[in-house]
Amino acid sequence: MGTMTINVDDNVEKKFRAQAKKVHGERKGALGQAITEAMDLWIAENDQLETAHSALALMETGQDLGTRKYRTRDDIHDRSTGTC
């Protein structure tokens, strides 16, 4: 478990402590649990944004799918019904 010393705006700190108290109560470790949840959420959100940007960049490059060598789906699937 890591220890961090950070500086946060006083107003944000008061709001965060109040919300953490509502959700997790006043027991020992409640503030640390709330901060861990907030950090996990921030990391997940940024990972999702990074994935979306990568996907969009890949889409913008375009893909060469070649040419179609058939006219209808029946040309590539055997749809005849026969007896066994």
Side-chain angles (χ1 to χ4, degrees):
M1 184 175 306
T3 301
M4 297 174 71
T5 303
I6 58 172
N7 294 317
V8 180
D9 181 62
D10 290 338
N11 193 30
V12 173
E13 178 192 1
K14 287 177 186 176
K15 289 179 182 179
F16 189 83
R17 284 182 183 270
Q19 191 65 30
K21 186 176 178 181
K22 285 181 193 175
V23 174
H24 296 289
E26 295 185 49
R27 66 183 190 280
K28 183 176 181 178
L31 184 60
Q33 186 177 0
I35 290 172
T36 300
E37 289 175 7
M39 291 171 75
D40 281 338
L41 183 62
W42 184 82
I43 290 167
E45 182 179 305
N46 281 292
D47 283 346
Q48 183 65 33
L49 283 173
E50 187 177 311
T51 301
H53 287 168
S54 296
L56 285 173
L58 183 61
M59 286 175 56
E60 287 175 359
T61 62
Q63 300 294 319
D64 181 19
L65 301 177
T67 60
R68 189 173 7 168
K69 296 182 168 78
Y70 56 90
R71 289 184 182 197
T72 66
R73 289 177 51 90
D74 291 334
D75 292 344
I76 57 174
H77 298 286
D78 182 18
R79 300 289 185 194
S80 63
T81 56
T83 57
C84 293

